[in-house]
Amino acid sequence: MSRGRNRFLSLSVCFWLATSALAFAQTGTDAPVLVTADSLTYDQEFGVVKAAGGVELAQGGRTLLADLVSYSERDDKVVASGNVTLMEQDGSVLFADYMELTSGMRNGFIRDISFLLSDYSRGAAAYGERRDGNTTVMHKAVYTTCELCPDDRTRPPLWQIRSDRVIHDQQAQEIMYRDAWFEMFGIPILYTPYFSHPDPTVNRRSGFLPPSYLSSAYFGQAFRVPYYYVVDDNTDVTLMPQYSTDQGGMMYGELRQRRATGEYWVDASITQADKYDNKSGDEFRGHIRANMAFRYNDDVTWGANIFRASDDTYLNLYNIPEYSAVNALTSRVYAQAINNRHFAAINAFSFQNLRAGVRSDTVPIAAPIFDYSAIMEPGDYGGRWAFDANMASIYRQAGTDMRRLSTTVSWTQPYYASTGEIFTATALLRADGYWVNDVDESLGMIPSGNDGSNFAGRAIPLVALDWRYPFVRDEGKVRQLIEPIVSAVITPHGGNPDDIPNEDSLTLEFDETNLFNYNRFPGYDRWDGGPKLNYGLRAAAYGQSGGYSELLLGQSLRTRETHIYAEGAGLNDRLSDYVGRLTISPGRYITLVDRIRLAQNKNLDVQRHELTTTLGTNTTYLSLTYANVADTDLVDDGIGDQEAVSGALRLQLTKYWGTEFRHTRELGSEGGSLLNFGALRYTDECFDIVLFAQRTFTVNRDIQPDTTIGFRFRIATFN
């Protein structure tokens, strides 16, 4: 009995130590060991435990396979031989012909090594050593992230690192290479006496990121070498210095931090280069952008979005990421609270103008902007009361200042008739108060005081009745819908006295999205007064396989003409323009969206037409967009009619090769190309290579037509 117990204890200790050591762990585990073998023997005289024939040991998510595993108590030695395979819980697999471990499993020797790590990188070595339970040294080793050729396993991979010694420091989580060659297709390309990178257990580590190169008329030859720095578990920094032969150095950087209550992200750049209106040589240019979002509790959040640039053209010229050509940069600080059916928010806005010819001191600062909304519980018959309020203060260094208070009380009652008709009755009362300083008479306002100040107010009632009658039927595998929609709105004419300024309703685009809105202006300062009848028709077909088609057409009728809209808005006549949207998607790979506004006349002149078609998948697709916008007085930009077409084509040529093309062209007698872009990309498990060329034709002060050629290269696991 005692001998059997000792044999059992020896076997348990043997296998526990063997699996722990073979896994290169520093300490063991108390998990039980599951053993499968053709035979188990114990030589009590020599103190040797052996498991032979199809040995399989499993413990704590690890599995060891070998032909023979033995443990010598006298020599404190574990030996595994014959087709040794160690499978880790993370998916890593190690193969060897022979393994020997001594000194309490802290030192050892392994021969004919090959391995496949959890990130699908792989390697091999002639032999390896285990030192002090922490460091593994492999001799005559190779490492790669490329898959081997299935037809010829001896064929060199696309790239590999061949090193005289590879040292894995487990505690530092670092893999170091001594006397290493970087090879492409088996040909040595680059030699380095030392090279290192984190091991696969590291989620992130400070180090250099893939470099990029571009060539353009403005920059000349430009190189960017990013460096990623981990500050702590919640914070990291990316520095991206760029040097160009024509414009010198530029530093771009990002800072990110995540906390338990929120996160923030900041990116900025700075350079000293030519400026379009600078007559004294180079000067500092740059930008800063910050996004912050924090949670005070489950109901209250706050944050900020800051965006500023040194001058009007810097962002576009230096191709700052995520920048699109806009007329102004917006910065905002906010706080908001949502509790059940109540919402409150306070904002402060600041703007930076990017248009030529606009004085900076006339650009407003809006602070504070306060919004409150409450929707009450529905009554016995489904009716609801709602309350909305807005308070705004707008200041300028030079120009009109304004304070506004607006409140709206509304009641809505739905009714579902037995015939299927849907009625919705609405009644609301809106009251606005304005206090204006430094009234600008050129805007048509009438100052009431000698100091150019003015106080004005208005009260606007409205009642409306909406009617819908959806007809639905199933025809085979298709569900069909036809729904006429009518909305009758009664509100007094006017509501826009001359002593009320217009700050937030300067532009309006009449389309199908606001056809049935009671007030089509986007802000508070202008009111869509006068009785009107809005009507339209919605038709749709939905297939069981996911395909569908939808059509919406509509128009608006007024009791008399109005002049509250800019010319060309399509709403000033008694009958408005026609608006519509057609969406066709017969399957997941085809989508067509056609939006149109036609003039209310015999010729049905096109006032706005947008057509977008997308064919394909995420990897191979064709996207075409056509836009035609007639000249209007909505914005005094002097551009006139605009007609353009753009397209994007992406082709996945093979498993690894892909290409992309983009083109934007302005149509018309004075039209021409606006953008040409082409890229060729190779991506596999080894690396990602992108070669691109871009030609822009924009002219805006120091932004001139330019051709840019760029190159990006990334090696898997090293970035």
Side-chain angles (χ1 to χ4, degrees), residues 592-610:
L592 181 146
V593 179
D594 191 4
R595 303 176 64 218
I596 196 166
R597 179 163 67 90
L598 302 176
Q600 188 280 123
N601 56 32
K602 294 186 300 182
N603 299 324
L604 297 178
D605 297 327
V606 176
Q607 301 300 301
R608 188 177 186 93
H609 188 196
E610 299 176 14

Side-chain angles (χ1 to χ4, degrees), residues 106 129-137 167-170:
R106 296 179 58 81
E129 303 170 79
R130 178 72 168 168
R131 301 174 182 174
D132 301 324
N134 175 69
T135 305
T136 302
V137 181
I167 304 169
H168 180 198
D169 188 327
Q170 190 171 348

Side-chain angles (χ1 to χ4, degrees), residues 169-382:
D169 188 327
Q170 190 171 348
Q171 184 175 0
Q173 299 175 295
E174 191 81 10
I175 298 178
M176 296 162 282
Y177 300 80
R178 306 283 186 176
D179 294 326
W181 279 95
F182 180 79
E183 298 182 354
M184 295 283 291
F185 303 100
I187 302 174
I189 301 296
L190 179 67
Y191 169 79
T192 176
Y194 175 82
F195 173 71
S196 69
H197 64 83
D199 68 19
T201 63
V202 176
N203 291 325
R204 55 183 191 146
R205 173 71 63 84
S206 300
F208 287 99
L209 298 176
S212 60
Y213 162 83
L214 63 86
S215 173
S216 71
Y218 180 77
F219 290 107
Q221 312 302 312
F223 303 88
R224 178 178 289 187
V225 183
Y227 183 81
Y228 177 73
Y229 177 67
V230 178
V231 180
D232 54 40
D233 292 341
N234 304 314
T235 311
D236 57 38
V237 176
T238 303
L239 297 176
M240 288 173 276
Q242 173 180 294
Y243 176 78
S244 62
T245 55
D246 291 352
Q247 297 300 328
M250 188 268 286
M251 176 62 75
Y252 179 92
E254 295 181 1
L255 169 65
R256 302 184 304 173
Q257 185 176 81
R258 176 170 293 179
R259 299 179 178 178
T261 58
E263 61 184 10
Y264 67 86
W265 165 72
V266 181
D267 77 288
S269 66
I270 188 171
T271 185
Q272 187 173 12
D274 294 334
K275 189 177 177 183
Y276 66 91
D277 59 355
N278 182 35
K279 297 181 175 58
S280 59
D282 293 350
E283 66 177 50
F284 283 105
R285 307 178 73 178
H287 90 284
I288 184 170
R289 177 173 47 182
N291 293 305
M292 311 173 192
F294 295 95
R295 183 183 69 256
Y296 179 75
N297 54 37
D298 292 341
D299 298 333
V300 180
T301 58
W302 62 277
N305 309 109
I306 310 299
F307 202 178
R308 280 291 184 271
S310 59
D311 54 81
D312 302 348
T313 61
Y314 172 79
L315 295 172
N316 200 357
L317 191 62
Y318 278 77
N319 193 26
I320 299 302
E322 299 180 14
Y323 169 73
S324 59
V326 295
N327 292 327
L329 303 182
T330 302
S331 298
R332 177 176 75 125
V333 179
Y334 69 92
Q336 63 183 33
I338 301 176
N339 188 326
N340 198 3
R341 300 179 183 276
H342 299 263
F343 170 79
I346 186 169
N347 290 269
F349 292 92
S350 177
F351 307 95
Q352 180 183 359
N353 173 68
L354 299 182
R355 294 171 297 177
V358 177
R359 292 169 44 192
S360 298
D361 57 1
T362 63
V363 178
I365 296 176
I369 305 291
F370 176 78
D371 292 281
Y372 175 78
S373 178
I375 301 177
M376 306 304 154
E377 292 283 350
D380 294 339
Y381 300 100

Side-chain angles (χ1 to χ4, degrees), residues 148 264 338 572 597-598 605 611 615 641 680 709:
L148 299 179
Y264 67 86
I338 301 176
N572 285 328
R597 179 163 67 90
L598 302 176
D605 297 327
L611 176 63
L615 308 173
D641 294 348
L680 181 65
I709 298 175

Side-chain angles (χ1 to χ4, degrees), residues 369-550:
I369 305 291
F370 176 78
D371 292 281
Y372 175 78
S373 178
I375 301 177
M376 306 304 154
E377 292 283 350
D380 294 339
Y381 300 100
R384 293 178 184 272
W385 287 94
F387 175 76
D388 296 277
N390 171 268
M391 183 183 69
S393 297
I394 296 177
Y395 302 91
R396 290 180 175 85
Q397 293 181 4
T400 301
D401 299 335
M402 182 200 75
R403 271 75 61 194
R404 177 188 67 221
L405 176 62
S406 177
T407 60
T408 302
V409 178
S410 63
W411 171 81
T412 303
Q413 175 67 59
Y415 174 73
Y416 303 91
S418 59
T419 57
E421 298 168 274
I422 302 173
F423 297 88
T424 304
T426 301
L428 67 81
L429 178 64
R430 174 170 154 179
D432 301 327
Y434 286 81
W435 180 22
V436 185
N437 293 111
D438 300 325
V439 173
D440 188 350
E441 297 186 45
S442 64
L443 300 178
M445 298 176 60
I446 303 174
S448 60
N450 295 329
D451 58 353
S453 63
N454 195 43
F455 179 81
R458 62 186 174 189
I460 305 170
L462 178 145
V463 292
L465 179 64
D466 297 341
W467 172 82
R468 296 171 179 260
Y469 200 174
F471 295 89
V472 181
R473 75 168 184 175
D474 292 330
E475 184 70 24
K477 296 182 178 181
V478 178
R479 172 161 292 184
Q480 301 174 356
L481 167 69
I482 297 178
E483 183 182 32
I485 307 170
V486 178
S487 175
V489 181
I490 300 176
T491 185
H493 289 284
N496 299 287
D498 292 337
D499 51 0
I500 290 182
N502 184 7
E503 297 281 0
D504 61 8
S505 300
L506 293 172
T507 61
L508 168 67
E509 181 58 43
F510 176 50
D511 56 29
E512 79 287 350
T513 62
N514 55 22
L515 171 64
F516 297 101
N517 288 2
Y518 300 148
N519 182 28
R520 297 190 181 97
F521 284 106
Y524 291 89
D525 293 339
R526 287 295 177 265
W527 176 256
D528 187 5
K532 62 184 76 71
L533 185 70
N534 309 316
Y535 46 89
L537 177 70
R538 187 165 75 99
Y542 304 95
Q544 291 184 356
S545 61
Y548 70 95
S549 298
E550 293 181 341

Side-chain angles (χ1 to χ4, degrees), residues 534-599:
N534 309 316
Y535 46 89
L537 177 70
R538 187 165 75 99
Y542 304 95
Q544 291 184 356
S545 61
Y548 70 95
S549 298
E550 293 181 341
L551 173 66
L552 175 63
L553 297 172
Q555 191 184 33
S556 181
L557 170 65
R558 292 181 174 276
T559 57
R560 68 185 188 190
E561 294 182 356
T562 182
H563 299 286
I564 60 175
Y565 298 102
E567 291 298 325
L571 288 167
N572 285 328
D573 296 332
R574 292 188 59 195
L575 283 172
S576 74
D577 289 349
Y578 300 99
V579 294
R581 181 186 70 243
L582 173 64
T583 303
I584 300 176
S585 181
R588 58 186 298 186
Y589 303 121
I590 303 176
T591 302
L592 181 146
V593 179
D594 191 4
R595 303 176 64 218
I596 196 166
R597 179 163 67 90
L598 302 176

